[in-house]
């Protein structure tokens, strides 16, 4: 199929602030929970990242050369409000103002994410993160300020990166939770506080900025039953409901999944719902639904102890799929899963779908001279682009665009510079910063060709096309 995508289709790149910016102690920035993490054998610290604080215009030029017309970036909460709940830092806000203008000048649509797990350290230490209502209130204050500053020139917004990851035990780390016993009550409080923060910002945008669009974002967990055993099928469906559809129901209809609420009531879980919360949530609507997708997996219920909470199913029951290839990081490559996710979101909620993270992380090195021949990356993206086109042209889904993850190399989510997603190589390693030179890989020229054809030409190339 060579169908060209619709006019205005958004091709772009997504990143977080802590994986790109660096400048951890410059421009009036306060400390975040990432800034105090120390380097280890296979992880850098977060102080320099890829130095986009100083080099973002160079990166924007590469995006423009590729033909990208959208960039999803994150505002660092502690750069614009060093304590998180204190005085706003005008120097930090001015940085993002200039940053946004640099994108617009190059014809690149900015998309703002307000939170990507890097909580201001002060809020984590004083209130233990999103388990606290004080942090919910601080986020709403911060988010409304950013909307007021930038909504006149930024159309696309999301509040929380991969918001459903707060539904699993790892939520404690990414929500700024530092101390105390990790209980289901606290897990569901974090989930509810984050959802209320999102609802408050989304409702504020819809009430005050008619030209701005906001959607919910989750890491879609595509989990298949390991076998056709009915219990495997049941557990896979429950994972889908608790981790994916619970949020999608709220994003679309302003209420949590009835199945999830029934479980909360039966188990006497205290979600921390206060007077007025459900009324605020009921007003919530989304202009689009966005998600990240990298891989799928399966669940084997033989591995899950009886009476295990759904939140812990995958902790015990995750099992590799023997029918899929896998990366060196054991992420299983499944473009048909990508198509399935796009369909499930659109069929149930009838809102435009926007995949805003996708890609393959690979250990790569550069010899300082020759182009990196990353045919494996071309193959991954080609298969996923085709799956997306099939969802559009065969299945009838409305897809806004496609944003790859870290298409100019960045630190991985664990701080590991070895795990590279980019079509542009950044010349640094975990413990040797080198010269940070940006060098296009073979996939750069292929992706440029794909974007120029608006998705019509996905064919791989023998040689680079660098016109």
């Amino acid at each position: 199929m060579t169908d060209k995508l619709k006019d205005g289709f958004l091709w772009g790149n997504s990143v977080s602030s802590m994986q790109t910016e660096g400048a951890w102690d410059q421009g009036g920035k306060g400390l975040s929970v990432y800034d105090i993490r120390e380097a280890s054998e296979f992880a850098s610290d977060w102080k320099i990242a890829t130095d986009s604080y100083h080099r973002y215009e160079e990166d924007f030029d590469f995006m423009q050369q590729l033909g990208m017309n959208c960039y999803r970036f994150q505002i660092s909460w502690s750069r614009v409000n060093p304590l998180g709940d204190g005085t706003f830092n005008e120097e930090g806000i001015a940085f993002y103002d200039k940053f946004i203008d640099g994108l617009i000048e190059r014809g690149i649509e900015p998309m703002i994410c307000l939170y990507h797990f890097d909580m201001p350290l002060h809020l984590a230490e004083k209130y233990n993160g999103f388990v606290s209502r004080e942090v919910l209130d601080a986020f709403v204050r911060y988010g409304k300020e950013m909307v007021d500053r930038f909504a006149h020139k930024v159309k696309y917004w999301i509040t929380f990166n991969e918001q459903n990851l707060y539904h699993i035990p790892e939520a404690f780390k990414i929500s700024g939770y530092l101390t105390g016993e990790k209980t289901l009550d606290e897990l569901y409080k974090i989930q509810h506080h984050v959802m209320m923060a999102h609802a408050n910002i989304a409702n504020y945008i819809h009430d005050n900025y008619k030209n701005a669009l906001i959607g919910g974002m989750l890491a879609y967990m595509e989990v298949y039953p390991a076998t056709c055993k009915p219990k495997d099928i049941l557990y896979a469906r429950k994972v889908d409901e608790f981790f994916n559809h619970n949020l999608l129901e709220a994003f679309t209809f302003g209420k949590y999944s009835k199945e999830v609420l029934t479980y909360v009531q039966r188990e006497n879980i205290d979600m921390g719902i206060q007077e007025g919360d459900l009324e605020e949530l009921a007003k919530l609507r989304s202009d689009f639904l966005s998600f990240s997708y990298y891989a799928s997996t399966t669940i084997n219920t033989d591995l899950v102890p009886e009476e295990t909470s759904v939140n812990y199913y995958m902790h015990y029951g995750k099992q590799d799929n023997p029918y899929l290839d896998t990366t060196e990081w054991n992420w299983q490559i499944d473009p048909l899963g990508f198509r399935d996710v796009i369909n499930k979101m659109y069929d149930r909620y009838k809102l435009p779908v926007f995949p805003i993270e996708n890609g393959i992380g690979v250990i790569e090195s550069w010899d300082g001279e020759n182009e990196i021949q990353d045919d494996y990356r071309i193959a991954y993206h080609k298969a996923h682009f085709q799956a997306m086109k099939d969802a559009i042209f065969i299945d009838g889904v409305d897809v806004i665009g496609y944003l790859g993850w870290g298409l100019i190399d960045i630190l991985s989510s664990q701080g590991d510079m070895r795990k590279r997603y980019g079509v542009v190589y950044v010349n640094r390693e975990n413990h040797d910063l080198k010269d940070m030179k940006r060098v296009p890989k073979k996939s750069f020229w292929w992706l440029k060709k794909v974007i120029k054809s608006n998705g019509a030409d996905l064919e791989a190339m023998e040689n680079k096309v660098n016109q």
Side-chain angles (χ1 to χ4, degrees):
M1 182 183 295
T2 58
D3 302 78
K4 180 184 289 189
L5 295 164
K6 65 184 178 183
D7 292 343
F9 190 85
L10 296 177
W11 292 97
N13 185 18
S14 288
V15 298
S16 74
S17 63
M18 73 278 192
Q19 291 167 271
T20 54
E21 283 182 6
W24 68 287
D25 61 349
Q26 298 178 36
K29 183 182 180 301
L31 290 176
S32 83
V33 292
Y34 278 82
D35 294 326
I36 62 169
R37 292 187 183 180
E38 297 181 356
S40 61
E41 181 181 3
F42 294 118
S44 171
D45 63 30
W46 301 83
K47 292 180 168 57
I48 306 297
T50 55
D51 196 30
S52 72
Y53 185 83
H54 300 106
R55 299 171 184 252
Y56 68 83
E57 295 215 45
E58 180 183 358
D59 292 341
F60 291 177
D61 287 343
F62 276 111
M63 294 178 217
Q64 185 179 32
Q65 187 181 357
L66 268 168
M68 287 183 176
N69 58 1
C70 187
Y71 185 51
R72 172 203 148 196
F73 67 96
Q74 179 220 344
I75 292 176
S76 168
W77 189 351
S78 58
R79 188 175 297 284
V80 298
N81 192 307
L83 295 178
D85 60 354
T87 302
F88 284 96
N89 172 32
E90 291 301 327
E91 186 176 356
I93 294 172
F95 165 76
Y96 289 112
D97 199 42
K98 185 179 177 185
F99 187 98
I100 291 165
D101 287 345
L103 290 168
I104 294 171
E105 288 164 7
R106 292 168 175 82
I108 301 171
E109 185 89 50
M111 180 183 197
I112 287 178
C113 172
L114 291 171
Y115 186 77
H116 199 117
F117 315 147
D118 62 335
M119 179 166 291
L121 182 62
H122 166 74
L123 296 181
E125 291 180 334
K126 184 173 181 179
Y127 299 114
N128 213 13
F130 273 108
V131 76
S132 161
R133 282 306 277 214
E134 286 84 358
V135 172
L136 158 59
D137 294 340
F139 180 87
V140 171
R141 175 174 173 260
Y142 147 68
K144 288 181 176 179
E145 184 71 19
M146 295 303 99
V147 170
D148 288 343
R149 298 293 187 118
F150 300 127
H152 64 288
K153 55 185 174 181
V154 175
K155 179 179 180 180
Y156 290 97
W157 293 77
I158 57 172
T159 51
F160 294 95
N161 179 69
E162 299 180 327
Q163 190 172 327
N164 61 329
L165 296 191
Y166 299 93
H167 300 195
I168 58 177
E170 287 76 3
F172 294 102
K173 178 176 69 175
I174 64 179
S175 66
Y177 186 105
L178 298 179
T179 61
E181 183 182 358
K182 299 177 180 179
T183 66
L184 273 179
D185 280 3
E186 289 173 320
L187 192 65
Y188 278 86
K189 279 182 182 176
I190 291 169
Q191 171 190 330
H192 177 64
H193 290 166
V194 170
M195 180 55 78
M196 290 311 304
H198 170 79
N200 273 272
I201 299 302
N203 292 341
Y204 184 74
I205 285 177
H206 286 143
D207 287 344
N208 296 282
Y209 296 93
K210 302 305 180 186
N211 294 322
L213 303 176
I214 186 166
M217 192 269 188
L218 74 165
Y220 204 106
M221 297 182 66
E222 179 76 338
V223 177
Y224 306 127
T227 72
C228 56
K229 183 169 59 178
K231 193 173 181 181
D232 285 357
I233 295 168
L234 172 68
Y235 275 38
R237 187 202 60 74
K238 291 187 78 70
V239 166
D240 198 21
E241 188 68 19
F242 275 65
F243 291 104
N244 302 318
H245 291 293
N246 184 45
L247 261 69
L248 293 168
E249 288 283 325
F251 291 150
T252 308
F253 304 122
K255 57 185 179 181
Y256 294 121
S257 157
K258 182 67 179 298
E259 182 175 357
V260 174
L261 286 180
T262 301
Y263 172 78
V264 166
Q265 291 163 2
R266 283 177 60 88
E267 298 299 319
N268 294 313
I269 293 170
D270 179 10
M271 290 180 61
I273 296 174
Q274 293 191 4
E275 185 177 354
D277 282 0
L278 296 184
E279 289 78 8
E280 183 71 25
L281 182 61
K283 297 194 307 181
L284 175 60
R285 296 294 181 268
S286 291
D287 301 301
F288 58 87
L289 296 174
S290 58
F291 69 101
S292 65
Y293 176 88
Y294 297 94
S296 66
T297 191
T298 80
I299 184 167
N300 180 349
T301 55
D302 290 342
L303 304 176
V304 182
E306 292 294 329
E307 306 304 321
T308 297
S309 165
V310 180
N311 301 80
Y312 291 85
Y313 277 1
M314 298 309 297
H315 176 76
Y316 295 105
K318 184 179 184 295
Q319 180 173 289
D320 288 347
N321 189 333
Y323 299 101
L324 297 176
D325 292 331
T326 187
T327 72
E328 56 208 308
W329 306 97
N330 200 36
W331 289 27
Q332 296 203 273
I333 300 169
D334 182 13
L336 277 178
F338 188 44
R339 177 179 175 182
D340 187 54
V341 168
I342 293 171
N343 271 278
K344 285 193 292 190
M345 291 175 68
Y346 187 71
D347 289 349
R348 185 159 164 177
Y349 301 105
K350 300 297 188 292
L351 289 172
V353 177
F354 198 174
I356 60 173
E357 284 188 29
N358 177 243
I360 182 170
V362 180
I363 295 177
E364 293 171 321
S365 59
W366 180 51
D367 64 9
E369 180 179 352
N370 296 297
E371 181 180 77
I372 294 171
Q373 300 295 301
D374 57 340
D375 294 282
Y376 42 83
R377 181 167 291 108
I378 293 172
Y380 179 95
H381 282 288
K382 178 183 177 181
H384 284 75
F385 291 166
Q386 187 60 59
M388 176 180 68
K389 288 175 63 177
D390 289 345
I392 294 168
F393 293 113
I394 297 176
D395 307 329
V397 178
D398 182 4
V399 178
I400 293 173
Y402 170 94
L403 308 185
W405 175 251
L407 294 178
I408 297 172
D409 283 345
I410 63 177
L411 287 175
S412 79
S413 60
Q414 303 303 312
D416 191 347
M417 199 66 204
R418 297 176 306 154
K419 188 178 185 183
R420 296 174 181 267
Y421 286 85
V423 300
V424 176
Y425 186 86
V426 174
N427 192 35
R428 67 152 289 183
E429 297 174 356
N430 278 330
H431 309 301
D432 183 357
L433 296 178
K434 297 188 175 182
D435 61 4
M436 296 272 189
K437 184 177 180 180
R438 273 67 165 155
V439 185
K441 306 172 189 178
K442 181 179 180 180
S443 57
F444 179 93
W445 310 109
W446 173 81
L447 183 56
K448 179 179 179 180
K449 178 171 70 83
V450 171
I451 295 174
K452 186 176 181 180
S453 73
N454 200 17
D457 183 3
L458 301 183
E459 292 308 307
M461 335 176 306
E462 292 300 320
N463 300 301
K464 74 179 183 181
V465 181
N466 57 357
Q467 291 83 21

